[in-house]
Amino acid sequence: MNALKKITVEKFSKLKNYKSFYSIEKLKEQISLYNNFIDFKGKLKKEKSKVSVIAEMKKASPSAGTIVEKYNPIEIGKNYLDSGASCLSILTEEKFFLGKLEHINEVKSKIKLPVLCKDFFIDTFQLYLAKAAGADAILIILSAINDSLAKQIYDLANELNLTTIVEVHTEEEAKKALVFKEAIIGINNRDLTTLKTDINTTYKLYEILGSHNQPLICESGLKSEKEVEEIIKKTGINNFLIGESLLKDLNKKSSLLKKITQISL
């Protein structure tokens, strides 16, 4: 069983537990009372003249194992804010990334940045969970679900005023993603079945996605500001979702995040 399949099987199991505790009606009530939503896509659009980083926080990952031993999402979020992050991505998948939905509201109560709920969305119920937890954006991984479910999740996200990031890794997925006219499209350099990364994925898929009229994001495998500069030069993409490289660099005075956000377009 490949890595993506293992994660989605576990997610189905976890969702049964959530559904036994929460009704959609209860989640809608929580959403109506929450007063700290921020426009994720709007933030990136306002910053189209600069390099924007969606800085990711996660304790662990299947490819890297434990990344941060003493994991404190609020402290990491403050570090990212001070270093120039435009948005945050918070891993909420429990088993493989050791995340928690509760981390979203904990972070947003202290840090005024829009947050992507980074998880494996395989059921529309998860959108209510994410929004009730304070999420401003959700992720549709096209390789994880069928086209019909992707459309259902996208339509409901629009109804709930959640920014959608449609994530692609292959040429076929890139072509499909163009149907989601209002979505941000994320090019994932990581193959989620093998967990291997290849930056050339961004260059290859940009040829298909360059005409999309919403922001594009380059995701995964970025390790230096030089790589970021090269991608900007060759594609014009100025939004980057970076996790592991930033997390390993948190305590440096001249951090990688600062160097990237100070790149001139």
Side-chain angles (χ1 to χ4, degrees), residues 7-51:
I7 294 170
T8 53
V9 167
E10 174 65 22
K11 182 55 63 177
F12 272 113
S13 175
K14 196 71 179 177
L15 273 176
K16 289 180 182 178
N17 295 334
Y18 274 116
K19 287 181 177 181
S20 69
F21 283 105
Y22 297 101
S23 67
I24 288 178
E25 289 71 27
K26 181 64 176 176
L27 293 171
K28 284 181 177 178
E29 183 182 342
Q30 287 181 227
I31 291 167
S32 69
L33 296 173
Y34 194 84
N35 61 3
N36 192 24
F37 293 114
I38 307 171
D39 184 354
F40 190 102
K41 183 170 72 172
K43 181 79 185 296
L44 293 185
K45 284 191 161 186
K46 283 178 185 176
E47 297 184 349
K48 61 183 180 180
S49 62
K50 59 168 280 191
V51 177

Side-chain angles (χ1 to χ4, degrees), residues 164-166 168 174 177-178 180 183-187 209 212 215-217:
T164 304
I165 299 176
V166 175
V168 301
L178 292 172
F180 302 96
I184 293 171
I185 298 179
I187 302 172
L209 298 170
H212 187 60
L216 299 177
I217 301 174

Side-chain angles (χ1 to χ4, degrees), residues 85-138:
S86 298
C87 304
L88 302 175
S89 169
I90 299 180
L91 254 297
T92 58
E93 193 282 328
E94 298 89 344
K95 181 173 181 178
F96 298 92
F97 294 87
L98 306 181
K100 292 181 181 178
L101 265 172
E102 294 81 2
H103 288 161
I104 296 176
N105 187 48
E106 288 173 12
V107 169
K108 286 189 71 180
S109 68
K110 303 291 184 183
I111 299 147
K112 303 305 179 189
L113 288 177
V115 172
L116 164 66
C117 177
K118 186 80 176 291
D119 212 320
F120 297 79
F121 285 81
I122 56 171
D123 190 312
T124 52
F125 179 79
Q126 289 171 273
L127 275 70
Y128 295 102
L129 274 177
K131 181 103 179 178
D136 305 297
I138 59 95

Side-chain angles (χ1 to χ4, degrees), residues 170-189:
T170 67
E171 291 181 12
E172 181 184 1
E173 290 167 4
K175 290 172 184 175
K176 287 181 181 180
L178 292 172
V179 173
F180 302 96
K181 300 292 187 184
E182 297 304 313
I184 293 171
I185 298 179
I187 302 172
N188 195 349
N189 296 309

Side-chain angles (χ1 to χ4, degrees), residues 68-87:
V68 183
E69 288 286 351
K70 295 180 180 178
Y71 182 68
N72 185 322
I74 293 172
E75 289 304 312
I76 294 171
K78 286 179 178 177
N79 184 307
Y80 284 162
L81 176 65
D82 292 343
S83 297
S86 298
C87 304

